[in-house]
Amino acid sequence: MLAQASASQAIKPRSTVLHVGLWIAQVLLFTLFAFAGTLTLFTPIAQLAQTVPWAADVPVALVRFIGFAELAGAIGLLLPSLTRIKPALTPLAALGLAVS
């Protein structure tokens, strides 16, 4: 009985560290993709083409769609876990961002 109680206490701090680390990773990825998506979505194409060379070679609608998709993916990384509504969507948003 005593061994079982000490084992459950040993697992709890590790679980807390993992939980905090996961939230830190989610917030950092949200910040990164939200910044990139906002930049791609709202920066004029001529100015964006100076920093992102492929932006001048593809249609404007595609560049804006990519910015929107990055922004939506960033929101999908954080919002389901924050609201606790369908948190299983968070890994799917991460997978979508990793694939793109």
Side-chain angles (χ1 to χ4, degrees):
M1 182 87 158
L2 183 61
Q4 187 180 20
S6 64
S8 66
Q9 289 173 349
I11 293 173
K12 188 170 182 164
R14 184 175 181 192
S15 176
T16 303
V17 169
L18 185 63
H19 186 72
V20 169
L22 179 63
W23 272 106
I24 290 171
Q26 280 180 270
V27 168
L28 287 174
L29 287 171
F30 167 80
T31 305
L32 174 76
F33 281 107
F35 177 73
T38 304
L39 187 70
T40 307
L41 194 58
F42 296 114
T43 304
I45 295 296
Q47 187 177 357
L48 188 63
Q50 293 174 354
T51 56
V52 184
W54 58 264
D57 299 334
V58 297
V60 175
L62 180 62
V63 174
R64 300 303 182 206
F65 174 75
I66 291 171
F68 176 76
E70 285 179 338
L71 195 56
I75 292 169
L77 280 176
L78 207 54
L79 195 61
S81 295
L82 275 178
T83 61
R84 296 185 184 199
I85 299 172
K86 298 208 181 234
L89 294 176
T90 299
L92 293 175
L95 182 64
L97 287 169
V99 169
S100 64

